[in-house]
Amino acid sequence: MEQRRGRLTVYLGAAPGVGKTCAMLDEARRRVERGTDVVVGLVETHGRAHTEARTEGLEVLPRRTVEHRGTTFTDLDVDAVLARRPAVVCIDELAHTNVPGSAREKRAEDVEVIRAAGIDVVTTVNIQHLESLNDQVERITGVRQRETVPDAVVRSADQIQLVDMAPEALRRRMAHGNVYRPENVDASLTSYFRVGNLTALRELALLWLADRVDDALGDYRRAHRIDHPWPTKERVVVAVTGGPESETLIRRGAKLAERAVGSELLAVHVIADDGLRDPGERQVARAQQLVATLGGTFHTVVGEDVARAVVDFATGADATMLVVGVSRHGRLRRLLTGSSGDRIASLAGAVDVHLVTHAQAGRATRARGAGSSLSTRRQLAGWAAAVVLPVVLTWLLQRFEDTDQLPLAEMLLLAGTVLVALVGGLLPALAAAVVSFFTLNWFFTPPTGVLTVAEPANFVALLVYVAVAGGVATVVDRASRRAAEATLARTEAATMGALSRSVLTGHDTAEAVVARLRETFGQDAVSLLARTASGWQVVAASGGPCAATPDEGDTRVRVDDDHVLVLTGDPLRASDQRVLEGFAVQTSLVLEYRRLRTREDRAAALESAEATSTALLRAVSHDLRTPLATMRTSVDGLVGGGELVGPDDRAELVRSLDDGIDRLERLIDHLLDLSRLEAGLLQPVLRDRSLDEVLPLAVAGHPPGAVSLEVDESVPMVRTDVGMLERVVANLVGNAVRASRSTGATPVRVLAHVLPGTVEVLVVDRGPGVPAAQRERMFAPFQRLDDSSVGGLGLGLAVARGLTEALGGTLEAEDTPGGGLTMVLAVPRAEPPTGTGSGTGTGVGG
């Protein structure tokens, strides 16, 4: 047999200290007195004497102990509860989080395990610990609850008891020391336990529990098949027709709902199930937004009988009042067919019906579908066929000598009526049916030549003919309109699908939207305008001439408060409005995407700048301090050494001071160069120059034998800035010399290769080299080859590449055959004089 699941009883406290734990223990004592096997699995007394007194006479199970970070904690022992297997167990504080290392994270999960074993559980929880109310409680009290329990756990309880107390009574209880220790009372009364906070928590508890009671009542009614309303609170249902009066009805319903505290506003719109489009979609959308603004809920149902559907919804929602508008139809139609308001009132039963008048009341409106979706040409052709076709068919039938032509004439004229319905719609088909009736009566129904019918059977046949012709024409017209609606809907769906895909891919632009809009609707020009302080500005345009202001266009559609789409060309049909609004929505998404991209780019730039600043500060704190420390030591030695400093030592100190100054100048120069490059302030002065003017100066200053300059005099001139190129080469040579010195390799070689359009300056070393995966990384600012070298901020190669790109060249790193690294600096060649060849050669290079 399947294991019985334990029942769950929850004592819900409106605030801490209202007495929920005492209420749980009082129930335990009552059950024990009735002979029920009850144990206390866990109770938190918080040192309160009156709470501890209520545990006397009850069996309290021992707690389990848990070690965590050197501290011993006690908690609920689920295994002990399962081993004891009582009928009921009391477990305090359902929202508690277990000690790390426990089998389950939350005490609520422990309770589920116990209930699964068939043991009833009585527990407690405060309203502020419910997950859905966590944010509201924080806004009210300013305190974030760290321990929460999902609402579904509490809602699943078989019984919920609210433990409540007036705020003033709870504050008196606290002042007497019955809740917190005396040293904590004053702080609590002036912060969390203020009267306003307690009142708000109390209201949250009542409203939350009211929703739970609503759910239970609904379950009870469904279980007992109770269909009639049980009005437990005010629920006002507004019947939204989709007409211009919808907003008036909603506002009136909202006023009625405001009269009762805790009332609800519901709006319902019935969609007819005839498969035809609802002409009031835009009004319905506005009504839906209005209902949401007024705090109500909007519902849509499908039904053939509008009145019955509205009443069924109101009954199912336990409505106390129905708000219905006065019919817009004229008196004659209301007299013949009645009105939806009258039918709703007759079907509502116990639900009150509030009939609201409005500006459109009593104004005759065209029946839905009376307007034809066919073109004017087809309608004119249908009217012409309605007159001509019966005449032509009659003339043809008169050519036959058979006297009994009535059945054949009826069939042919009926076919003609169907043909007219296909061509021109319903009204021409009805006209063709009437014309056919008189034609049959005059020419084919005895006695012919008069409108008199001798035989009753013939008269019935004529009447049946008219009825069948009208019915067939109606069916054909409706089918035709449905086909037209389906075609239009398919076209709109395809267009909207394409728009959705373009938005999802994120590749669409404002220019692409206006171009597609112009193509879709065949407009002469489409422009997207933005409102600025000085007037309207064109953001994107397609075709021409484009409108520069909304008033210059033929059709306008609002995108948002600051943007509008303006179309110039043939006026659009009303059926195109929904697709046009889809374009407006896409345009707003594109603009929002553009704004997000701009913010993302700005954020990325700020993030990059922050990373650069952080790296700079970290590097400056060390690398600038090193030469300064060297210089300070040298100066102290020179100034304070006196006679103890010999000539050799003095020369060494001066050399160290000079090296420190050089290194400091180099670091500062790199920082300035990098900042100028990033700001775009460094502009080269390009002239035709020979490498003989640059390379000797760039390699000077190194110890003899450290650098080998191997450039032939035949190397052509380059287009460059001498100073910037010298700094680039000097930087590369300096790095290469330091790398070669670390391995004791051969001197650094500086070569030149002549290529079509460029001259490559090669700086070749035999040092340790750089792995291919790190070569691009070493050109980034604040990157060093091994992240441990001293004497630089890691800006040298970043500055060198930036200067090279400013000169119109490139700087790359390659392997040196046999080991090492070769820096390849490509510099643009000077333009050869007119009439001379460019030539290609190779400079000297071992």
Side-chain angles (χ1 to χ4, degrees), residues 622 784-791:
H622 179 271
R784 307 176 197 172
L785 299 183
D786 56 2
D787 286 332
S788 62
S789 61
V790 297

mmCIF file of all heavy atoms in Angstrom, residues 622 784-791:
data_model
loop_
_atom_site.group_PDB
_atom_site.id
_atom_site.type_symbol
_atom_site.label_atom_id
_atom_site.label_comp_id
_atom_site.label_asym_id
_atom_site.label_seq_id
_atom_site.Cartn_x
_atom_site.Cartn_y
_atom_site.Cartn_z
ATOM 1 N N HIS A 622 56.722 50.496 -9.120
ATOM 2 C CA HIS A 622 57.975 49.739 -9.036
ATOM 3 C C HIS A 622 59.046 50.288 -9.967
ATOM 4 O O HIS A 622 60.160 50.614 -9.551
ATOM 5 C CB HIS A 622 57.711 48.261 -9.352
ATOM 6 C CG HIS A 622 58.958 47.412 -9.319
ATOM 7 N ND1 HIS A 622 59.750 47.224 -10.427
ATOM 8 C CD2 HIS A 622 59.539 46.727 -8.314
ATOM 9 C CE1 HIS A 622 60.779 46.453 -10.111
ATOM 10 N NE2 HIS A 622 60.669 46.126 -8.824
ATOM 11 N N ARG A 784 55.636 42.666 -20.408
ATOM 12 C CA ARG A 784 57.055 42.368 -20.539
ATOM 13 C C ARG A 784 57.208 40.930 -20.996
ATOM 14 O O ARG A 784 56.307 40.120 -20.845
ATOM 15 C CB ARG A 784 57.762 42.574 -19.200
ATOM 16 C CG ARG A 784 57.491 43.955 -18.603
ATOM 17 C CD ARG A 784 58.121 44.060 -17.244
ATOM 18 N NE ARG A 784 57.528 45.196 -16.513
ATOM 19 C CZ ARG A 784 57.777 45.440 -15.250
ATOM 20 N NH1 ARG A 784 58.589 44.658 -14.567
ATOM 21 N NH2 ARG A 784 57.218 46.464 -14.648
ATOM 22 N N LEU A 785 58.379 40.627 -21.494
ATOM 23 C CA LEU A 785 58.559 39.309 -22.105
ATOM 24 C C LEU A 785 58.352 38.185 -21.106
ATOM 25 O O LEU A 785 57.801 37.152 -21.432
ATOM 26 C CB LEU A 785 59.967 39.219 -22.722
ATOM 27 C CG LEU A 785 60.246 40.245 -23.839
ATOM 28 C CD1 LEU A 785 61.633 40.005 -24.414
ATOM 29 C CD2 LEU A 785 59.194 40.155 -24.929
ATOM 30 N N ASP A 786 58.826 38.370 -19.873
ATOM 31 C CA ASP A 786 58.678 37.300 -18.893
ATOM 32 C C ASP A 786 57.956 37.767 -17.641
ATOM 33 O O ASP A 786 57.939 37.052 -16.642
ATOM 34 C CB ASP A 786 60.056 36.717 -18.505
ATOM 35 C CG ASP A 786 60.988 37.807 -17.977
ATOM 36 O OD1 ASP A 786 60.542 38.972 -17.895
ATOM 37 O OD2 ASP A 786 62.146 37.475 -17.652
ATOM 38 N N ASP A 787 57.405 39.001 -17.680
ATOM 39 C CA ASP A 787 56.684 39.564 -16.553
ATOM 40 C C ASP A 787 57.534 39.683 -15.301
ATOM 41 O O ASP A 787 57.025 39.809 -14.198
ATOM 42 C CB ASP A 787 55.406 38.749 -16.240
ATOM 43 C CG ASP A 787 54.341 39.006 -17.268
ATOM 44 O OD1 ASP A 787 54.316 40.092 -17.872
ATOM 45 O OD2 ASP A 787 53.544 38.084 -17.471
ATOM 46 N N SER A 788 58.831 39.614 -15.429
ATOM 47 C CA SER A 788 59.691 39.728 -14.256
ATOM 48 C C SER A 788 60.861 40.640 -14.475
ATOM 49 O O SER A 788 61.607 40.919 -13.553
ATOM 50 C CB SER A 788 60.183 38.327 -13.827
ATOM 51 O OG SER A 788 60.958 37.756 -14.860
ATOM 52 N N SER A 789 61.084 41.092 -15.675
ATOM 53 C CA SER A 789 62.219 41.946 -15.957
ATOM 54 C C SER A 789 62.027 43.299 -15.325
ATOM 55 O O SER A 789 60.928 43.761 -15.106
ATOM 56 C CB SER A 789 62.406 42.089 -17.478
ATOM 57 O OG SER A 789 61.263 42.686 -18.029
ATOM 58 N N VAL A 790 63.161 43.951 -15.009
ATOM 59 C CA VAL A 790 63.096 45.263 -14.405
ATOM 60 C C VAL A 790 63.665 46.269 -15.380
ATOM 61 O O VAL A 790 64.330 45.927 -16.348
ATOM 62 C CB VAL A 790 63.890 45.289 -13.079
ATOM 63 C CG1 VAL A 790 63.279 44.355 -12.077
ATOM 64 C CG2 VAL A 790 65.368 44.942 -13.307
ATOM 65 N N GLY A 791 63.415 47.531 -15.068
ATOM 66 C CA GLY A 791 63.974 48.572 -15.892
ATOM 67 C C GLY A 791 63.033 49.116 -16.918
ATOM 68 O O GLY A 791 63.404 49.916 -17.742
#
